[in-house]
Amino acid sequence: MFITDFKEIMDILDTSQSVFLYDTAAISVHELAFFRHGYQLPNEFISNHPIIISQTIVDELRLHEDADLRYSHFFNQFSKVILINEASFVQYFHEMYSPKQRSLAKYQNCTIRSFLTIQSLAEAIKNIPNQQIENKVMDLFTTHFYGGRNKGEYSLLWLSNLIRDVFPTLDINFIGLDRDLYRIVDHCYYRFDSIASEIRSRVKVRIFSNDSMLQARIRRGLSIAEIVDSYRDPARKVLYREINNGITEHTIIEGAMDNSLFIELLELRRIEVVY
């Protein structure tokens, strides 16, 4: 079901233009829609691009308990599904950079960037001696996220920084539902010191949510009436910008809306979904 061979993964990523990092909450909702109705909304955007999940995501999904093979059937719709264990991240730096001391320094800097929103963890990683990095980083990661909260989201953010360092031309796409995923990705990639630095940025990172994919479907002239109830929870607050007289407002609004209103506002081009 998953591609785990290091050389095969390197070859796939080296020849890909874009990858999709899939969060636990999104997989769970999408699998249910696929199992009940055969709906394949995310596949309309993923197409033949590789999906990547971390070992943490596998653990959160409890795939070892997938006795009915429901997740296996769900993942089989995609052409390439890669599993990368966080413990193997450093291997990619060893492959791309030499000498070993340089690869470890690159790995350390990548990891620090990934956890800047957790000041104590980032500082602890920064203080690891070079020769202890390989073991200590994983120890700190495992210890800090022992309770599990946001571990999957941060594992994907960490994975995205690895990919952008080792494969800098790859476009990174997150698929998620969790607001914390949006927050940490936004903080890592889209908090600029000035307009000038934002203009110079070459970041190619996007965050897909069910609402943004449904919006894209409407803009393609496709109906979402049949599938909207399977992909939208009306109680979930959506992030959006209002569109007035054809101009999109800068301010982001947070609010819940029922599915019929959601469709109406999108069809009338009254809102721009952010997440």
Side-chain angles (χ1 to χ4, degrees):
M1 178 169 60
F2 297 130
I3 299 167
T4 57
D5 180 74
F6 176 75
K7 185 179 185 307
E8 186 176 1
I9 293 172
M10 291 290 289
D11 289 343
I12 290 172
L13 297 184
D14 196 42
T15 56
S16 297
Q17 295 180 331
S18 186
V19 295
F20 287 78
L21 308 184
Y22 223 149
D23 188 33
T24 306
I27 293 173
S28 296
V29 171
H30 297 169
E31 185 280 327
L32 188 61
F34 180 79
F35 174 73
R36 288 180 174 174
H37 308 290
Y39 295 157
Q40 301 181 46
L41 176 65
N43 210 0
E44 296 179 19
F45 300 87
I46 295 169
S47 187
N48 293 320
H49 298 299
I51 289 172
I52 307 180
I53 60 176
S54 65
Q55 183 61 49
T56 296
I57 301 299
V58 168
D59 294 341
E60 290 182 347
L61 290 170
R62 298 183 178 180
L63 292 189
H64 62 284
E65 301 175 8
D66 187 25
D68 297 329
L69 302 179
R70 280 179 44 171
Y71 281 107
S72 295
H73 294 313
F74 170 73
F75 282 116
N76 282 341
Q77 71 181 288
F78 306 108
S79 62
K80 294 180 285 287
V81 184
I82 294 170
L83 167 61
I84 301 181
N85 192 316
E86 292 88 340
S88 71
F89 282 4
V90 70
Q91 186 178 359
Y92 294 84
F93 290 87
H94 289 332
E95 177 71 16
M96 296 301 294
Y97 302 109
S98 59
K100 184 177 181 179
Q101 189 174 18
R102 180 179 177 229
S103 72
L104 290 175
K106 286 273 191 179
Y107 171 65
Q108 186 174 26
N109 289 334
C110 166
T111 307
I112 292 169
R113 285 198 307 273
S114 304
F115 300 114
L116 284 176
T117 51
I118 308 174
Q119 187 175 358
S120 60
L121 180 57
E123 195 63 31
I125 295 168
K126 184 178 180 180
N127 292 328
I128 299 173
N130 187 272
Q131 67 273 15
Q132 298 178 21
I133 290 170
E134 290 189 66
N135 295 325
K136 285 290 187 180
V137 163
M138 277 308 299
D139 288 345
L140 287 171
F141 175 74
T142 303
T143 301
H144 182 85
F145 291 103
Y146 178 76
R149 177 171 171 77
N150 290 338
K151 186 177 181 182
E153 291 85 352
Y154 273 101
S155 77
L156 293 182
L157 183 69
W158 189 10
L159 182 52
S160 74
N161 275 296
L162 176 155
I163 292 170
R164 291 194 68 243
D165 203 304
V166 178
F167 303 95
T169 62
L170 268 176
D171 292 351
I172 308 294
N173 305 282
F174 292 87
I175 303 180
L177 301 179
D178 192 285
R179 183 63 55 80
D180 286 337
L181 177 66
Y182 178 86
R183 174 182 59 81
I184 65 175
V185 172
D186 180 69
H187 188 279
C188 182
Y189 291 113
Y190 291 107
R191 299 293 176 93
F192 300 100
D193 295 330
S194 65
I195 293 178
S197 62
E198 183 173 356
I199 292 171
R200 289 195 301 269
S201 172
R202 294 296 180 263
V203 170
K204 294 182 179 179
V205 177
R206 293 184 292 178
I207 314 175
F208 287 79
S209 66
N210 286 353
D211 288 346
S212 65
M213 287 189 285
L214 291 169
Q215 172 180 256
R217 209 170 194 274
I218 284 181
R219 289 182 175 178
R220 294 174 180 177
L222 302 172
S223 172
I224 66 170
E226 181 182 357
I227 66 174
V228 67
D229 290 338
S230 295
Y231 288 105
R232 282 202 88 242
D233 176 3
R236 176 185 177 272
K237 292 182 179 180
V238 59
L239 299 179
Y240 65 94
R241 292 185 173 96
E242 292 183 333
I243 301 175
N244 294 309
N245 297 319
I247 298 175
T248 304
E249 302 289 347
H250 183 73
T251 303
I252 294 178
I253 298 174
E254 177 187 54
M257 60 185 74
D258 64 42
N259 291 341
S260 59
L261 177 60
F262 178 75
I263 294 174
E264 179 184 355
L265 293 176
L266 287 179
E267 289 179 339
L268 293 173
R269 296 283 183 126
R270 294 279 302 279
I271 62 171
E272 168 80 25
V273 172
V274 176
Y275 185 72

